[in-house]
Amino acid sequence: NHTKATEFILTGFKSYPGLQVLLSVLFSAMYVVIVVGNACMILIIRMDSKLHTPMYFFLENLSILDICYSSVITPKAALTFLLGRRSISYNGCASQMFFFSLFGTTEAFFLAMMAYDRFTAICNPLLYQIIMNKRLCIFMVVGSYLSGCINCTIQTGFTFNLSFCGPKEINHFFCDVPAVMHASCSDTLVNEIVMLAVCGSIIVGTALVVFISYGYIIISIVRMPSAESRRKAFSTCSSHMLAVSLFFGTVFFMYAQPRATSSPDKSNTISILYTIVIPMLNPFIYTLRNQEVKGSL
């Protein structure tokens, strides 16, 4: 019963014809900021030996991930809005979904690792170098990518095993899992259960690590004797928590709730946050009040 599609039509934001050029310019400008901002972050960390620590090792890998993460989506979307060519091949759609799921899942694990790193540094400073050794850091990064591979293989495999009939229109500006499922003429109940179970467990699990870690961090900060130390620590934590809350809040709305495919119009707008805005803001959020990075600059 599987109908082999040769291409799909991306119809995201099609109902706003007057905004197509503006969206293209906006997406292109934001993509440039993402690449330049994250590339500068990678360059600074690699050139300054003082920044060769576990925290900056994770930040460097996060910057690499954000460039890859956004590159899967943004250039294609910008060209679609500019040229009006909304078609994407079947294999291109599957590849886009695979790599987007890979990098998105890996980012969730990265945020959890970075929170654990800060928890260890603030709550166990004397054991920090012993606990967060080079071997463990590499293991955590590799483990994050392997977890991403497992999830993207499951999501892409289940989604592209569906039948696609009719015009094969995807109400989105890229091949996201819920949007492609919504375009199928098959019964998607099993797929939705799988997405809810797998993505939900990943999002809830990594979010718990983040919020428990920051909970202990906040308790440790409150106990600091110096008011100036508390102020600096809280300002840094608030920036990190903003990025984390924005990421987990949007992906939870998209992938970890029942009937996540029922609001395609909202999905288009919300997807901009975690595919473009967050990768663009991360270099600024994680370095805004960082004196070490300012010194390196």
Side-chain angles (χ1 to χ4, degrees):
N1 295 327
H2 181 73
T3 303
K4 180 71 173 180
T6 57
E7 67 175 19
F8 295 99
I9 306 298
L10 300 169
T11 62
F13 297 115
K14 190 178 181 180
S15 55
Y16 306 98
L19 293 177
Q20 298 302 299
V21 175
L22 178 62
L23 284 170
S24 177
V25 172
L26 183 64
F27 273 47
S28 299
M30 293 172 81
Y31 181 64
V32 171
V33 175
I34 290 168
V35 174
V36 173
N38 284 286
C40 286
M41 189 69 193
I42 295 165
L43 189 64
I44 291 166
I45 293 170
R46 291 196 174 181
M47 290 183 67
D48 192 343
S49 59
K50 294 177 184 176
L51 302 183
H52 294 174
T53 63
M55 181 180 79
Y56 291 105
F57 173 74
F58 291 132
L59 279 175
E60 179 185 358
N61 279 279
L62 180 68
S63 293
I64 295 170
L65 185 67
D66 279 340
I67 292 173
C68 297
Y69 183 50
S70 183
S71 295
V72 174
I73 306 299
T74 316
K76 169 65 178 173
L79 284 172
T80 297
F81 297 138
L82 181 65
L83 303 177
R85 297 174 185 169
R86 294 183 168 271
S87 63
I88 183 171
S89 68
Y90 181 88
N91 291 334
C93 188
S95 298
Q96 190 179 58
M97 180 185 292
F98 181 89
F99 286 108
F100 172 73
S101 299
L102 168 63
F103 297 131
T105 305
T106 305
E107 177 135 347
F109 280 96
F110 267 25
L111 292 174
M113 287 189 310
M114 291 167 69
Y116 176 74
D117 172 72
R118 290 300 82 205
F119 158 75
T120 308
I122 294 173
C123 301
N124 296 292
L126 298 178
L127 297 175
Y128 178 67
Q129 295 296 336
I130 298 172
I131 296 172
M132 299 302 297
N133 56 72
K134 187 175 181 179
R135 185 177 179 181
L136 178 64
C137 292
I138 293 172
F139 176 79
M140 291 169 77
V141 169
V142 173
S144 296
Y145 275 103
L146 286 175
S147 300
C149 279
I150 293 169
N151 182 48
C152 68
T153 301
I154 293 171
Q155 299 299 337
T156 308
F158 269 84
T159 303
F160 281 87
N161 196 41
L162 296 169
S163 297
F164 296 96
C165 328
K168 304 178 184 67
E169 291 186 351
I170 298 173
N171 191 354
H172 216 313
F173 60 91
F174 70 97
C175 290
D176 199 8
V177 178
V180 176
M181 273 200 289
H182 193 72
S184 171
C185 53
S186 302
D187 182 6
T188 61
L189 179 61
V190 173
N191 291 65
E192 289 186 41
I193 292 171
V194 170
M195 186 181 73
L196 182 63
V198 177
C199 293
S201 61
I202 290 170
I203 294 166
V204 172
T206 51
L208 277 175
V209 172
V210 170
F211 291 118
I212 290 172
S213 296
Y214 275 109
Y216 279 107
I217 288 170
I218 291 169
I219 292 171
S220 297
I221 291 171
V222 170
R223 292 174 179 171
M224 290 179 178
S226 168
E228 182 64 17
S229 298
R230 290 196 299 270
R231 188 191 66 79
K232 288 181 178 180
F234 268 123
S235 66
T236 303
C237 283
S238 63
S239 298
H240 292 189
M241 286 300 293
L242 173 64
V244 167
S245 300
L246 192 60
F247 178 84
F248 282 107
T250 52
V251 297
F252 182 85
F253 176 87
M254 290 296 299
Y255 308 107
Q257 60 161 332
R259 306 304 299 175
T261 63
S262 61
S263 304
D265 292 330
K266 288 182 180 179
S267 299
N268 281 299
T269 305
I270 291 172
S271 294
I272 295 175
L273 288 176
Y274 64 89
T275 58
I276 304 173
V277 175
I278 294 174
M280 182 181 69
L281 292 179
N282 274 345
F284 303 101
I285 289 173
Y286 287 107
T287 63
L288 198 60
R289 294 185 175 93
N290 193 315
Q291 295 302 320
E292 290 176 318
V293 174
K294 288 180 181 178
S296 297
L297 280 167

